[in-house]
Amino acid sequence: MMNRKVEFESIGICLPAKRLLTKDLVKNLKIPAINKFELLTGIKERRVCSDNENSLTLAVGAGLDCIKHSKFSGEDIQLVISCSITKYLENYTHHYEPPFSIAIKTSIGADKAINLDISNACAGMLTGIMIAEDYIKRGVVNNCMVVSGENITGLGKHALKTIKTPLSLELASLTLGDAGAAVILHSEEGLSNSLAISGFTTLSGYSHLCIAKQSRRMPGAYMRTKAKKIHDVSISDSGPIVREALQNSGLSFSQIDYLIPHQTSKSAMISGSRHYANYFGEKPGQVVINIKEYGNTASTSHFLSLYTLLNEGRFKKDDRIMLLCFASGLIVGVVIFTMNDMVDRYGNKN
Amino acid sequence: MGTKIEIVSSLPHPSTKSRKRALWLSKKTAELCFTESGLKPIDLDMLIFAGIYREDHIGEPSIASLLQKEIGANPEVFPLENRTFSFDVDTGGCSLVNAIQLVDGFISSGKISMGMVITGDSEPFRNLSESYNFISSSSSIILTYTTENIGFKSFKSYTYLEFRESFKSYIAWKNWKRKSRKKNVLVIEQSESYLQECLDCSLKSLADFLIQNKLDIKDIDLIIPSQSPAGLPKLLEKELNISGIVVGVDSPYGEIHTSGPGFALNKAWENGKYQKARNIIFLSVGAGISNILAWYKK
């Protein structure tokens, strides 16, 4: 059983239609250098939920889009794992119980699926994938949908009311964008490659560097981030973990065709790329920066990037892809996989 | 070979009322587990937090990562051979058993040797809740890989979607106590029939679980149930027409939420019933209505 191979079978996303330009978001902030924010972050715009959209509609939309690209129907799905940080319904009403995964599974037609809610900051979906892979390999289920709907731009609304200087701990909240993403994992006879999930570690000594809590003064939450510090320790401490992941897969860094890091800001990802190039003495084929139109979409960022590149026809079969996880906690983890026939089901071909 | 329950702890003593918050209590129950078992946080591979209501409604990072730091479980990347991974499970009243299920899975796969499940609940914004009747409480359990012939034999989840509306909790931005100023208020909505529905669903799930595992109720030495909704353990005992095997914990100051099964396990541990038991059923129930059952065999 434990020799079962597990792969990504399909991916889906859901994006709000409404776009908010960065220059419009920050236009009323009277702090030095705010006009450089778009340049530094690489974020020109992001999607924001309208009144009738929220974490649940994004998650369900992504789940249905995933099923649309899949050979599975909703009722075939055996396990649904909800991984979002935000569980908002209307008006930033944060939902606790019943579990969000129940609402999601019934909305996608998977009433009989086992359901589970987990939360692990921006590492939510990759944590869900780690759990899904374990369930599938042990034969508990044959497939699983990992799904997340992040209605997270409300943190930016709070930030706009409180930011007074460029050193504000809420500045990172202005990089966020709303999105939903879902991925189906499965196992079947004859798979040639399997996901390699490696190195998931929580460097909890840095767990205080990014904290989000419910606001006492307005609907929704706020987030305070020591952005530079979290970036520095992520990059400096993750090298050995990434090296170990590559060794476990029998690969060198230059054999990775696409490296998709957690999408935070352009300057951070470029800086990280340079550090890794020095650390490994080589580079991957391409480092994916997919932030210009979406911002940081929290737990959905890797799958939004994968979906975007699939639809653009950028991948080919057998491309080696690394998803590099960085998240509050501080979490580091690596997922390596080989692109499969999903390339035939997205973009113009679909 | 299997996943062994090494130790359990719970706080506060149910006869006392605590004003401590979820993280503080959770840290204490975790530390108690390590002190009493002699195990070391440096050997912890995985930590899962399974509580729901936490101070300030912290959404990020995971509460598990904050606790991992508090208990000193490998906060740094070095040494590489000692690492801990932590995350939260939010499956309502079934969270504790759900988290045990996940740890057992990773132990079975050989990916980890020691995991810890911690639950903790406390009123997130003090005095800013409607119908919140859960006491501040926490429970922690350490699970390890063992070569002995004991461990969890099976888990099963059940969901009864027809009762989805019977219990809901959410944070609403609303006028508070007739004042014009709005606040973020934790609202609990529980129907009058919720207790009966939880009882009916739990009995149905238990009956199916026993059949699936080729067990009879007479084979069961202990049932470790959720302690909320209040009164559930006593009703279970009455409906099953058995005495002495369903562990109920008297909690005069309010209901014990996600930590309930941990309190029950701790009670059985302290009064010696756990040590004598061979077949133990964990029976958790939560909003949905969901049940997660587990069979632990010694």
Side-chain angles (χ1 to χ4, degrees):
Chain A
M1 270 301 184
M2 291 305 299
N3 291 327
R4 288 181 118 191
K5 292 187 161 78
V6 180
E7 65 169 9
F8 293 141
E9 194 268 345
S10 61
I11 299 172
I13 66 159
C14 179
L15 290 167
K18 191 169 157 192
R19 298 166 195 255
L20 176 60
L21 294 172
T22 298
K23 63 179 183 181
D24 290 335
L25 176 67
V26 302
K27 66 184 177 197
N28 292 325
L29 274 181
K30 307 283 182 240
I31 59 173
I34 196 63
N35 56 341
K36 301 263 191 299
F37 192 73
E38 181 177 328
L39 186 67
L40 282 170
T41 60
I43 302 168
K44 182 177 177 220
E45 63 179 39
R46 80 290 315 279
R47 304 297 183 97
V48 292
C49 284
S50 301
D51 290 343
N52 60 347
E53 293 168 313
N54 51 55
S55 306
L56 180 61
T57 63
L58 292 174
V60 170
L64 291 171
D65 187 52
C66 193
I67 287 167
K68 192 176 98 174
H69 289 89
S70 171
K71 68 178 183 187
F72 296 112
S73 66
E75 60 184 19
D76 295 329
I77 303 297
Q78 295 177 337
L79 170 62
V80 172
I81 304 179
S82 167
C83 312
S84 59
I85 307 164
T86 62
K87 294 184 183 182
Y88 289 129
L89 302 178
E90 67 285 342
N91 296 326
Y92 294 111
T93 301
H94 177 87
H95 175 92
Y96 272 122
E97 300 186 70
F100 223 50
S101 48
I102 288 181
I104 294 170
K105 78 174 182 180
T106 55
S107 299
I108 64 169
D111 290 29
K112 293 194 166 60
I114 303 166
N115 62 271
L116 160 58
D117 279 30
I118 64 137
S119 179
N120 205 12
C122 295
M125 280 193 78
L126 295 182
T127 304
I129 279 159
M130 192 179 83
I131 294 169
E133 193 245 13
D134 184 66
Y135 267 62
I136 295 170
K137 277 199 158 169
R138 286 188 294 116
V140 179
V141 295
N142 291 317
N143 63 60
C144 170
M145 178 185 281
V146 176
V147 57
S148 178
E150 299 288 18
N151 174 202
I152 205 155
T153 50
L155 300 182
K157 289 182 184 170
H158 189 282
L160 287 174
K161 289 187 191 292
T162 57
I163 290 174
K164 303 283 182 242
T165 78
L167 299 176
S168 170
L169 294 180
E170 290 196 53
L171 203 65
S173 303
L174 300 179
T175 65
L176 303 171
D178 295 336
V183 58
I184 293 175
L185 294 84
H186 80 139
S187 179
E188 63 182 12
E189 291 283 328
L191 288 182
S192 47
N193 296 297
S194 191
L195 294 178
I197 298 174
S198 178
F200 274 81
T201 306
T202 304
L203 309 179
S204 61
Y206 305 110
S207 55
H208 59 285
L209 293 180
C210 178
I211 298 190
K213 300 179 182 182
Q214 196 69 11
S215 172
R216 287 185 184 262
R217 63 167 89 178
M218 56 188 279
Y222 67 94
M223 181 175 75
R224 293 197 176 130
T225 312
K226 293 185 180 174
K228 184 168 185 328
K229 177 74 176 170
I230 210 172
H231 168 73
D232 289 344
V233 298
S234 297
I235 299 306
S236 64
D237 284 14
S238 60
I241 295 172
V242 176
R243 185 191 294 282
E244 181 192 66
L246 288 165
Q247 283 169 349
N248 289 343
S249 294
L251 295 170
S252 65
F253 198 43
S254 62
Q255 288 179 298
I256 297 296
D257 297 299
Y258 292 88
L259 167 60
I260 305 180
H262 176 49
Q263 303 287 300
T264 50
S265 77
K266 188 174 175 183
S267 54
M269 286 188 276
I270 290 173
S271 159
S273 301
R274 286 194 188 123
H275 174 88
Y276 276 175
N278 284 335
Y279 182 84
F280 288 106
E282 54 187 9
K283 297 180 188 179
Q286 185 175 330
V287 177
V288 173
I289 298 177
N290 187 47
I291 208 165
K292 185 176 175 188
E293 293 171 17
Y294 306 114
N296 175 352
T297 58
S299 61
T300 67
S301 80
H302 294 96
F303 291 92
L304 177 55
S305 297
L306 277 171
Y307 190 95
T308 304
L309 268 64
L310 273 168
N311 263 347
E312 291 173 359
R314 300 263 293 274
F315 295 130
K316 55 186 191 306
K317 216 168 160 195
D318 297 330
D319 276 341
R320 291 194 190 93
I321 300 164
M322 176 188 281
L323 306 179
L324 183 50
C325 169
F326 293 120
S328 307
L330 174 65
I331 297 156
V332 182
V334 181
V335 175
I336 299 174
F337 71 99
T338 304
M339 182 47 72
N340 54 18
D341 64 356
M342 278 199 293
V343 296
D344 300 326
R345 286 183 269 127
Y346 289 82
N348 290 335
K349 304 178 197 76
N350 187 28
Chain B
M1 291 187 299
T3 301
K4 181 182 172 185
I5 298 174
E6 280 289 344
I7 190 79
V8 60
S9 68
S10 58
L11 283 174
H13 192 280
S15 63
T16 64
K17 186 173 183 177
S18 173
R19 287 178 62 82
K20 295 293 187 187
R21 308 191 85 182
L23 259 75
W24 188 93
L25 286 167
S26 298
K27 179 188 169 189
K28 290 297 174 193
T29 57
E31 286 172 342
L32 267 174
C33 276
F34 284 110
T35 307
E36 290 182 13
S37 65
L39 295 168
K40 294 180 175 34
I42 194 173
D43 295 320
L44 189 63
D45 298 308
M46 181 173 281
L47 193 164
I48 303 179
F49 180 75
I52 303 295
Y53 305 108
R54 71 286 298 268
E55 42 264 59
D56 302 333
H57 301 286
I58 294 173
E60 174 174 340
S62 68
I63 303 296
S65 66
L66 296 172
L67 286 168
Q68 184 191 328
K69 179 183 174 183
E70 289 292 318
I71 64 174
N74 304 312
E76 308 283 339
V77 68
F78 297 109
L80 270 184
E81 55 273 14
N82 288 109
R83 282 181 283 171
T84 308
F85 181 58
S86 49
F87 59 95
D88 293 352
V89 162
D90 301 333
T91 324
C94 297
S95 287
L96 188 151
V97 180
N98 206 174
I100 291 174
Q101 181 181 19
L102 293 175
V103 171
D104 173 68
F106 287 115
I107 287 177
S108 305
S109 310
K111 288 175 183 151
I112 65 172
S113 301
M114 181 158 82
M116 185 168 206
V117 174
I118 307 176
T119 70
D121 293 291
S122 64
E123 192 180 20
F125 286 154
R126 215 185 289 283
N127 298 324
L128 210 57
S129 313
E130 274 180 16
S131 308
Y132 183 86
N133 191 37
F134 301 119
I135 63 166
S136 292
S137 62
S138 169
S139 177
S140 291
I141 301 175
I142 295 180
L143 304 152
T144 57
Y145 167 74
T146 180
T147 53
E148 301 170 60
N149 188 21
I150 61 173
F152 288 93
K153 295 300 173 194
S154 71
F155 292 84
K156 192 144 187 233
S157 302
Y158 302 83
T159 314
Y160 300 90
L161 296 171
E162 60 269 38
F163 302 119
R164 275 173 70 180
E165 300 294 316
S166 295
F167 185 103
K168 291 193 286 191
S169 63
Y170 52 90
I171 308 168
W173 179 249
K174 58 191 289 186
N175 289 93
W176 181 239
K177 292 188 177 173
R178 297 194 198 122
K179 292 180 183 163
S180 57
R181 204 165 152 199
K182 289 189 173 184
K183 291 187 186 282
N184 278 312
V185 180
L186 172 61
V187 178
I188 310 275
E189 292 178 1
Q190 179 174 318
S191 71
E192 287 183 10
S193 54
Y194 183 60
L195 171 59
Q196 186 63 43
E197 286 158 3
C198 283
L199 174 67
D200 293 341
C201 293
S202 299
L203 290 168
K204 195 170 166 184
S205 301
L206 178 61
D208 180 78
F209 189 72
L210 292 174
I211 291 169
Q212 298 280 329
N213 289 286
K214 299 184 174 49
L215 291 166
D216 191 272
I217 192 70
K218 297 190 192 69
D219 301 323
I220 307 304
D221 304 301
L222 267 187
I223 295 178
I224 304 289
S226 290
Q227 300 296 306
S228 71
L232 180 70
K234 283 203 170 78
L235 287 174
L236 273 171
E237 193 169 65
K238 184 179 167 202
E239 290 298 320
L240 291 170
N241 200 23
I242 46 177
S243 68
I245 73 165
V246 179
V247 183
V249 178
D250 291 325
S251 178
Y253 293 106
E255 296 178 37
I256 309 171
H257 194 31
T258 57
S259 308
F263 272 73
L265 180 63
N266 198 25
K267 180 177 175 180
W269 194 289
E270 289 181 345
N271 66 20
K273 283 190 172 180
Y274 170 82
Q275 288 76 359
K276 292 178 192 152
R278 289 197 62 195
N279 289 303
I280 301 168
I281 300 287
F282 287 76
L283 197 169
S284 64
V285 64
I289 285 175
S290 300
N291 291 114
I292 299 181
L293 276 71
W295 171 27
Y296 184 77
K297 190 172 167 67
K298 298 198 308 64

